[in-house]
Amino acid sequence: RQSWASDSSDSVISSGSDSDGSLYKVILLGEHGVGKTSLARIFGGVEDFADAEEAGNTYDRSIIVDGEEASLVVFDIWEQDDSQWLQNHCMKMGDAYIIVYSVTDKVSFEKASELRIQLRRARQTEDIPIILVGNKSDLVRSREVSVDEGRACAVVFDCKFIETSAALHHNVQDLFEGIVRQIRLRKDSKED
Ligand code: GDP
């Protein structure tokens, strides 16, 4: 079971700009090979391109979540080069973060915790939306991280949790809708 309920029937994905003009920057973090590019490409609707090897890209798209349009720019640039500057910049620039690990790779799960800590250090006083993502849920037989471990980690880190399979497109739409909802929740509570 996932951490939030979603009615995807009302979610239409389209291109275009946001109704209230705001553009949310969403940064993908995570170890090499966990599926960041695959998730970003599904979001961007470009996963069929053969040149999947090139690193570092941004994908922008508007999606309708709960009847309202939101524009997201998804940055898949974490591994673009080894520059410390770029990684520091990533930690500062995001409106929201997707921390990805692979359920088939315990090391990537441990790395996700480190990233969460790094993020907390970079954005100490801010309550930034974060979703912890266990990707590759389709690889049942090589699973090294259970759903419960993932969920427990998200509780400790005070963030949302979802398992996805980029290969099967499972929960990928829910992931990006969840990010929009998390951003809105915080925005609304600030405006009150
Ligand atoms: P990145 O380095 O984090 O950007 O990871 P990629 O998106 O490049 O994916 C690394 C490899 O894992 C590629 O061969 C993908 O096809 C594969 N992969 C990504 N997501 C999934 C998934 O959900 N299931 C399976 N079985 N393979 C995946």
Coordinates of all heavy atoms in Angstrom, one line a residue, residues 83-153:
S83 N 31.0 17.7 -10.0 CA 31.3 19.0 -9.4 C 30.5 19.1 -8.1 O 29.3 18.9 -8.0 CB 30.9 20.1 -10.4 OG 29.9 20.9 -9.9
Q84 N 31.3 19.5 -7.0 CA 30.7 19.7 -5.7 C 29.8 20.9 -5.8 O 28.8 21.0 -5.1 CB 31.9 20.0 -4.7 CG 31.4 19.8 -3.3 CD 30.9 18.5 -3.0 OE1 31.4 17.5 -3.3 NE2 29.7 18.5 -2.3
W85 N 30.2 21.9 -6.7 CA 29.4 23.1 -6.8 C 28.0 22.7 -7.2 O 27.0 23.2 -6.7 CB 30.1 24.0 -7.8 CG 29.3 25.3 -7.9 CD1 29.3 26.4 -7.1 CD2 28.2 25.5 -8.9 NE1 28.4 27.3 -7.5 CE2 27.7 26.8 -8.6 CE3 27.6 24.8 -9.9 CZ2 26.6 27.4 -9.3 CZ3 26.6 25.3 -10.6 CH2 26.1 26.6 -10.3
L86 N 27.9 21.9 -8.3 CA 26.6 21.5 -8.8 C 25.7 20.8 -7.8 O 24.6 21.1 -7.6 CB 26.8 20.6 -10.1 CG 25.4 20.2 -10.7 CD1 24.8 21.4 -11.4 CD2 25.6 19.1 -11.7
Q87 N 26.4 19.9 -7.0 CA 25.6 19.2 -6.0 C 25.1 20.1 -4.9 O 24.0 20.0 -4.5 CB 26.4 18.0 -5.5 CG 26.8 17.0 -6.6 CD 26.9 15.6 -6.2 OE1 27.3 15.3 -5.0 NE2 26.7 14.6 -7.1
N88 N 26.0 21.0 -4.5 CA 25.5 22.0 -3.5 C 24.4 22.8 -4.1 O 23.4 23.1 -3.4 CB 26.7 22.9 -3.1 CG 27.7 22.2 -2.2 OD1 27.4 21.3 -1.6 ND2 28.9 22.8 -2.2
H89 N 24.5 23.2 -5.3 CA 23.5 24.0 -6.0 C 22.2 23.2 -6.0 O 21.1 23.8 -5.7 CB 24.0 24.3 -7.4 CG 23.1 25.3 -8.1 ND1 22.8 26.5 -7.6 CD2 22.4 25.2 -9.2 CE1 21.9 27.1 -8.4 NE2 21.7 26.3 -9.4
C90 N 22.2 21.9 -6.3 CA 21.0 21.1 -6.3 C 20.3 21.1 -5.0 O 19.1 21.2 -4.9 CB 21.4 19.6 -6.6 SG 21.7 19.3 -8.4
M91 N 21.1 21.0 -3.9 CA 20.6 21.0 -2.6 C 19.9 22.3 -2.2 O 19.1 22.4 -1.3 CB 21.7 20.7 -1.5 CG 22.2 19.3 -1.6 SD 20.9 18.1 -1.2 CE 21.8 16.6 -1.2
K92 N 20.3 23.4 -2.9 CA 19.7 24.7 -2.6 C 18.5 25.1 -3.4 O 17.7 25.9 -3.0 CB 20.8 25.8 -2.7 CG 22.0 25.6 -1.8 CD 22.0 26.6 -0.6 CE 22.8 26.2 0.5 NZ 24.2 26.2 0.3
M93 N 18.5 24.6 -4.7 CA 17.6 25.2 -5.6 C 16.2 24.6 -5.7 O 15.3 25.2 -6.3 CB 18.2 25.2 -7.0 CG 18.3 23.7 -7.6 SD 19.1 23.6 -9.2 CE 17.7 24.0 -10.2
G94 N 16.0 23.4 -5.1 CA 14.8 22.7 -5.3 C 13.6 23.2 -4.5 O 13.8 23.7 -3.4
D95 N 12.4 23.2 -5.1 CA 11.2 23.4 -4.4 C 10.7 22.1 -3.7 O 10.0 22.1 -2.8 CB 10.1 23.9 -5.3 CG 10.4 25.3 -5.9 OD1 10.8 26.2 -5.1 OD2 10.3 25.5 -7.1
A96 N 11.2 21.0 -4.3 CA 10.8 19.7 -3.8 C 11.9 18.7 -4.3 O 12.6 18.9 -5.3 CB 9.4 19.3 -4.3
Y97 N 12.0 17.6 -3.5 CA 13.0 16.6 -3.9 C 12.4 15.2 -3.9 O 11.5 14.8 -3.2 CB 14.1 16.6 -2.8 CG 14.9 17.8 -2.9 CD1 14.5 19.0 -2.3 CD2 16.1 17.9 -3.6 CE1 15.3 20.2 -2.4 CE2 16.8 19.0 -3.8 CZ 16.4 20.2 -3.1 OH 17.1 21.3 -3.3
I98 N 12.9 14.4 -4.9 CA 12.6 13.0 -5.0 C 13.9 12.3 -4.8 O 14.9 12.4 -5.5 CB 12.0 12.7 -6.4 CG1 10.7 13.5 -6.6 CG2 11.8 11.2 -6.6 CD1 10.1 13.3 -8.0
I99 N 14.0 11.5 -3.6 CA 15.2 10.8 -3.3 C 14.9 9.3 -3.7 O 14.0 8.7 -3.1 CB 15.5 10.9 -1.8 CG1 15.7 12.3 -1.4 CG2 16.8 10.0 -1.5 CD1 16.1 12.5 0.1
V100 N 15.7 8.8 -4.7 CA 15.4 7.5 -5.2 C 16.4 6.5 -4.8 O 17.6 6.8 -4.8 CB 15.4 7.6 -6.8 CG1 14.9 6.2 -7.4 CG2 14.5 8.7 -7.3
Y101 N 16.0 5.3 -4.4 CA 16.9 4.2 -4.2 C 16.3 3.0 -5.0 O 15.1 3.1 -5.5 CB 17.1 3.8 -2.8 CG 15.8 3.3 -2.1 CD1 15.5 1.9 -2.0 CD2 14.9 4.2 -1.5 CE1 14.4 1.5 -1.4 CE2 13.8 3.7 -0.8 CZ 13.5 2.4 -0.8 OH 12.4 1.9 -0.2
S102 N 17.0 2.0 -5.2 CA 16.5 0.8 -5.8 C 16.2 -0.3 -4.8 O 17.1 -0.5 -3.9 CB 17.5 0.2 -6.9 OG 17.1 -1.1 -7.2
V103 N 15.0 -0.9 -4.8 CA 14.7 -1.9 -3.8 C 15.6 -3.1 -4.0 O 15.6 -4.0 -3.1 CB 13.2 -2.3 -3.9 CG1 12.3 -1.1 -3.7 CG2 12.9 -3.0 -5.2
T104 N 16.3 -3.2 -5.1 CA 17.2 -4.3 -5.3 C 18.7 -4.0 -4.9 O 19.6 -4.8 -5.1 CB 17.3 -4.7 -6.8 OG1 17.9 -3.6 -7.5 CG2 15.9 -5.0 -7.4
D105 N 18.8 -2.9 -4.2 CA 20.2 -2.4 -3.9 C 20.2 -1.7 -2.5 O 19.9 -0.5 -2.4 CB 20.7 -1.5 -5.0 CG 22.1 -0.9 -4.8 OD1 22.7 -1.3 -3.8 OD2 22.5 -0.1 -5.6
K106 N 20.6 -2.5 -1.5 CA 20.7 -2.0 -0.2 C 21.6 -0.8 0.0 O 21.3 0.2 0.7 CB 21.2 -3.1 0.7 CG 21.0 -2.9 2.2 CD 19.8 -3.6 2.7 CE 19.3 -3.1 4.1 NZ 18.2 -3.9 4.5
V107 N 22.7 -0.8 -0.8 CA 23.6 0.3 -0.7 C 23.0 1.6 -1.2 O 23.2 2.7 -0.6 CB 24.9 0.0 -1.5 CG1 25.8 1.3 -1.6 CG2 25.7 -1.1 -0.9
S108 N 22.2 1.5 -2.2 CA 21.5 2.7 -2.7 C 20.5 3.2 -1.6 O 20.2 4.4 -1.6 CB 20.8 2.5 -4.0 OG 19.6 1.7 -3.9
F109 N 19.9 2.3 -0.9 CA 19.0 2.7 0.2 C 19.7 3.4 1.3 O 19.2 4.5 1.8 CB 18.4 1.4 0.8 CG 17.3 1.6 1.9 CD1 16.2 2.4 1.6 CD2 17.5 1.0 3.1 CE1 15.2 2.5 2.6 CE2 16.5 1.1 4.1 CZ 15.4 1.9 3.9
E110 N 20.9 2.9 1.7 CA 21.7 3.6 2.7 C 22.1 5.0 2.2 O 22.1 6.0 2.9 CB 22.9 2.8 3.0 CG 22.6 1.6 4.0 CD 23.5 0.4 3.9 OE1 24.6 0.5 3.2 OE2 23.1 -0.6 4.4
K111 N 22.4 5.1 0.9 CA 22.8 6.3 0.3 C 21.7 7.4 0.4 O 21.9 8.6 0.6 CB 23.2 6.1 -1.2 CG 23.7 7.3 -1.9 CD 25.0 7.8 -1.4 CE 25.3 9.1 -2.1 NZ 26.6 9.7 -1.6
A112 N 20.5 6.8 0.2 CA 19.3 7.7 0.3 C 19.2 8.4 1.6 O 18.9 9.6 1.7 CB 18.0 6.9 0.0
S113 N 19.5 7.7 2.7 CA 19.6 8.3 4.0 C 20.6 9.4 4.1 O 20.3 10.5 4.7 CB 19.9 7.2 5.1 OG 18.9 6.2 5.1
E114 N 21.7 9.1 3.5 CA 22.8 10.2 3.6 C 22.3 11.4 2.8 O 22.6 12.5 3.3 CB 24.1 9.7 2.9 CG 24.9 8.7 3.7 CD 26.0 8.1 2.8 OE1 26.5 8.8 2.0 OE2 26.3 6.9 3.1
L115 N 21.6 11.2 1.7 CA 21.2 12.3 0.9 C 20.1 13.2 1.7 O 20.1 14.4 1.7 CB 20.6 11.9 -0.4 CG 21.6 11.4 -1.4 CD1 20.9 10.6 -2.5 CD2 22.4 12.5 -1.9
R116 N 19.3 12.4 2.5 CA 18.3 13.1 3.3 C 19.0 14.0 4.3 O 18.6 15.1 4.6 CB 17.4 12.1 3.9 CG 16.4 12.7 4.9 CD 15.4 13.5 4.2 NE 14.4 14.2 5.1 CZ 14.6 15.4 5.5 NH1 15.6 16.2 5.1 NH2 13.7 16.0 6.3
I117 N 20.0 13.4 4.9 CA 20.8 14.2 6.0 C 21.5 15.4 5.3 O 21.4 16.5 5.9 CB 21.8 13.3 6.6 CG1 21.0 12.2 7.5 CG2 22.8 14.1 7.5 CD1 21.9 11.0 7.9
Q118 N 22.1 15.2 4.2 CA 22.7 16.3 3.5 C 21.7 17.4 3.1 O 22.0 18.6 3.3 CB 23.2 15.8 2.1 CG 24.7 16.0 1.9 CD 25.1 15.4 0.5 OE1 25.0 14.1 0.4 NE2 25.5 16.2 -0.4
L119 N 20.5 17.0 2.7 CA 19.5 18.0 2.4 C 19.0 18.7 3.6 O 18.8 19.9 3.6 CB 18.3 17.2 1.8 CG 17.2 17.9 1.0 CD1 17.9 18.8 -0.1 CD2 16.3 16.9 0.3
R120 N 18.9 18.0 4.7 CA 18.5 18.7 5.9 C 19.5 19.7 6.4 O 19.2 20.8 6.8 CB 18.3 17.6 7.1 CG 17.8 18.3 8.4 CD 17.5 17.2 9.4 NE 16.3 16.5 9.1 CZ 15.9 15.4 9.6 NH1 16.8 14.7 10.4 NH2 14.8 14.8 9.3
R121 N 20.8 19.4 6.2 CA 21.8 20.3 6.5 C 21.8 21.5 5.6 O 22.0 22.7 6.1 CB 23.2 19.6 6.4 CG 24.2 20.0 7.4 CD 25.5 19.2 7.3 NE 25.4 17.9 7.9 CZ 25.9 16.7 7.4 NH1 26.5 16.7 6.2 NH2 25.8 15.6 8.1
A122 N 21.5 21.3 4.4 CA 21.5 22.4 3.4 C 20.3 23.4 3.6 O 20.4 24.5 3.3 CB 21.6 21.9 2.0
R123 N 19.2 22.8 4.1 CA 18.0 23.6 4.1 C 17.4 23.5 5.5 O 16.2 23.3 5.7 CB 17.0 23.0 3.1 CG 17.5 22.9 1.7 CD 17.7 24.2 1.0 NE 16.4 24.7 0.6 CZ 15.7 24.4 -0.5 NH1 16.3 23.7 -1.4 NH2 14.6 24.9 -0.8
Q124 N 18.2 23.8 6.5 CA 17.9 23.6 7.9 C 16.5 24.0 8.4 O 15.8 23.2 9.0 CB 19.0 24.2 8.8 CG 20.3 23.6 8.5 CD 21.4 24.0 9.5 OE1 21.1 24.8 10.4 NE2 22.6 23.5 9.4
T125 N 16.2 25.3 8.1 CA 14.9 25.8 8.7 C 13.7 25.5 7.8 O 12.6 25.8 8.3 CB 15.1 27.3 9.0 OG1 15.4 27.9 7.8 CG2 16.2 27.5 10.0
E126 N 14.0 25.0 6.6 CA 12.8 24.9 5.7 C 12.2 23.6 5.8 O 12.8 22.6 6.0 CB 13.3 25.2 4.3 CG 13.8 26.6 4.0 CD 14.6 26.6 2.7 OE1 13.9 26.7 1.7 OE2 15.8 26.6 2.7
D127 N 10.9 23.6 5.5 CA 10.1 22.4 5.5 C 9.9 22.1 4.0 O 8.9 22.4 3.4 CB 8.8 22.6 6.2 CG 7.9 21.4 6.2 OD1 8.4 20.3 6.0 OD2 6.7 21.6 6.3
I128 N 10.9 21.4 3.4 CA 10.7 21.2 2.0 C 10.1 19.8 1.7 O 10.4 18.8 2.4 CB 12.1 21.1 1.2 CG1 13.2 21.5 2.2 CG2 12.1 21.8 -0.1 CD1 14.6 21.1 1.7
P129 N 9.2 19.8 0.7 CA 8.6 18.5 0.4 C 9.6 17.5 -0.2 O 10.4 17.8 -1.1 CB 7.6 18.8 -0.7 CG 7.5 20.3 -0.8 CD 8.8 20.9 -0.2
I130 N 9.6 16.3 0.4 CA 10.5 15.2 0.0 C 9.7 13.9 -0.2 O 8.9 13.6 0.7 CB 11.6 15.0 1.0 CG1 12.5 16.3 1.2 CG2 12.5 13.8 0.5 CD1 13.5 16.1 2.3
I131 N 9.9 13.2 -1.2 CA 9.4 11.9 -1.4 C 10.5 10.9 -1.5 O 11.4 11.1 -2.4 CB 8.4 11.8 -2.5 CG1 7.2 12.8 -2.3 CG2 7.8 10.4 -2.7 CD1 6.0 12.7 -3.3
L132 N 10.5 9.9 -0.7 CA 11.4 8.8 -0.8 C 10.8 7.8 -1.7 O 9.7 7.3 -1.5 CB 11.7 8.2 0.6 CG 12.7 7.0 0.7 CD1 14.1 7.5 0.4 CD2 12.6 6.4 2.1
V133 N 11.6 7.4 -2.7 CA 11.1 6.5 -3.7 C 11.9 5.2 -3.8 O 13.1 5.2 -4.0 CB 11.1 7.1 -5.1 CG1 10.6 6.1 -6.2 CG2 10.2 8.4 -5.1
G134 N 11.3 4.0 -3.6 CA 11.9 2.7 -3.8 C 11.5 2.3 -5.2 O 10.4 1.8 -5.4
N135 N 12.4 2.4 -6.1 CA 12.1 2.1 -7.5 C 12.5 0.6 -7.8 O 13.2 0.0 -7.0 CB 12.9 3.0 -8.4 CG 12.5 2.9 -9.9 OD1 11.3 2.7 -10.2 ND2 13.5 2.9 -10.8
K136 N 12.1 0.1 -8.9 CA 12.3 -1.2 -9.4 C 11.5 -2.3 -8.6 O 12.0 -3.4 -8.4 CB 13.8 -1.6 -9.4 CG 14.7 -0.6 -10.2 CD 16.1 -1.1 -10.5 CE 17.0 -0.1 -11.1 NZ 18.3 -0.5 -11.6
S137 N 10.4 -1.9 -8.2 CA 9.5 -2.8 -7.5 C 9.1 -4.1 -8.3 O 8.7 -5.0 -7.7 CB 8.3 -2.1 -6.9 OG 7.5 -1.6 -8.0
D138 N 9.3 -4.0 -9.6 CA 9.0 -5.2 -10.4 C 10.0 -6.3 -10.2 O 9.7 -7.5 -10.5 CB 9.0 -4.7 -11.9 CG 10.3 -4.1 -12.4 OD1 10.6 -3.0 -11.9 OD2 11.0 -4.7 -13.2
L139 N 11.2 -6.0 -9.8 CA 12.2 -7.0 -9.7 C 12.1 -7.7 -8.3 O 12.9 -7.6 -7.4 CB 13.6 -6.4 -9.8 CG 13.9 -5.7 -11.1 CD1 15.3 -5.0 -11.2 CD2 13.8 -6.7 -12.3
V140 N 11.1 -8.5 -8.3 CA 10.6 -9.1 -7.0 C 11.7 -10.1 -6.4 O 12.0 -10.1 -5.2 CB 9.3 -9.9 -7.2 CG1 8.9 -10.6 -6.0 CG2 8.2 -9.0 -7.7
R141 N 12.3 -10.8 -7.3 CA 13.3 -11.8 -6.9 C 14.6 -11.3 -6.4 O 15.3 -12.0 -5.7 CB 13.4 -12.9 -7.9 CG 12.0 -13.5 -8.2 CD 12.1 -15.0 -8.5 NE 12.8 -15.2 -9.8 CZ 12.9 -16.4 -10.3 NH1 12.4 -17.5 -9.6 NH2 13.5 -16.6 -11.4
S142 N 15.0 -10.1 -6.9 CA 16.2 -9.6 -6.4 C 16.1 -8.4 -5.4 O 17.0 -7.7 -5.1 CB 17.1 -9.1 -7.6 OG 16.3 -8.5 -8.5
R143 N 14.9 -8.4 -4.7 CA 14.6 -7.4 -3.8 C 15.5 -7.5 -2.5 O 15.7 -8.6 -2.0 CB 13.2 -7.4 -3.3 CG 12.7 -6.3 -2.4 CD 11.3 -6.5 -1.9 NE 10.3 -6.0 -2.8 CZ 9.9 -4.7 -2.7 NH1 10.4 -3.9 -1.8 NH2 8.9 -4.3 -3.5
E144 N 16.1 -6.3 -2.1 CA 17.0 -6.3 -0.9 C 16.4 -5.4 0.2 O 16.9 -5.4 1.3 CB 18.4 -5.9 -1.3 CG 19.2 -6.8 -2.1 CD 20.6 -6.3 -2.4 OE1 21.0 -5.2 -1.9 OE2 21.4 -7.1 -3.1
V145 N 15.5 -4.6 -0.2 CA 14.9 -3.6 0.7 C 13.4 -3.8 0.7 O 12.7 -3.7 -0.3 CB 15.2 -2.2 0.4 CG1 14.7 -1.2 1.4 CG2 16.7 -2.0 0.2
S146 N 12.8 -4.2 1.9 CA 11.4 -4.4 2.0 C 10.6 -3.1 2.0 O 11.1 -2.1 2.3 CB 11.1 -5.2 3.2 OG 11.2 -4.4 4.4
V147 N 9.3 -3.3 1.7 CA 8.4 -2.1 1.7 C 8.4 -1.5 3.1 O 8.4 -0.3 3.3 CB 7.0 -2.5 1.3 CG1 6.1 -1.3 1.3 CG2 6.9 -3.2 0.0
D148 N 8.4 -2.4 4.1 CA 8.4 -1.9 5.5 C 9.6 -1.1 5.9 O 9.5 -0.1 6.6 CB 8.2 -3.1 6.5 CG 6.8 -3.6 6.5 OD1 5.9 -2.8 6.0 OD2 6.6 -4.7 7.0
E149 N 10.8 -1.6 5.4 CA 12.0 -0.8 5.6 C 11.9 0.6 5.0 O 12.4 1.6 5.6 CB 13.2 -1.6 5.1 CG 13.7 -2.7 5.9 CD 14.8 -3.5 5.2 OE1 14.4 -4.2 4.2 OE2 15.9 -3.4 5.6
G150 N 11.4 0.6 3.8 CA 11.3 1.9 3.1 C 10.4 2.8 3.8 O 10.7 4.0 4.1
R151 N 9.2 2.3 4.2 CA 8.3 3.1 4.9 C 8.8 3.6 6.2 O 8.6 4.8 6.6 CB 7.0 2.3 5.1 CG 5.8 3.1 5.4 CD 4.6 2.2 5.6 NE 4.1 1.6 4.4 CZ 3.8 0.3 4.3 NH1 4.0 -0.5 5.3 NH2 3.3 -0.2 3.1
A152 N 9.5 2.7 7.0 CA 10.0 3.1 8.3 C 11.1 4.2 8.1 O 11.1 5.2 8.9 CB 10.7 1.9 8.9
C153 N 11.9 4.1 7.1 CA 12.9 5.2 6.8 C 12.2 6.5 6.5 O 12.6 7.5 7.0 CB 13.7 4.7 5.6 SG 15.0 5.8 5.2

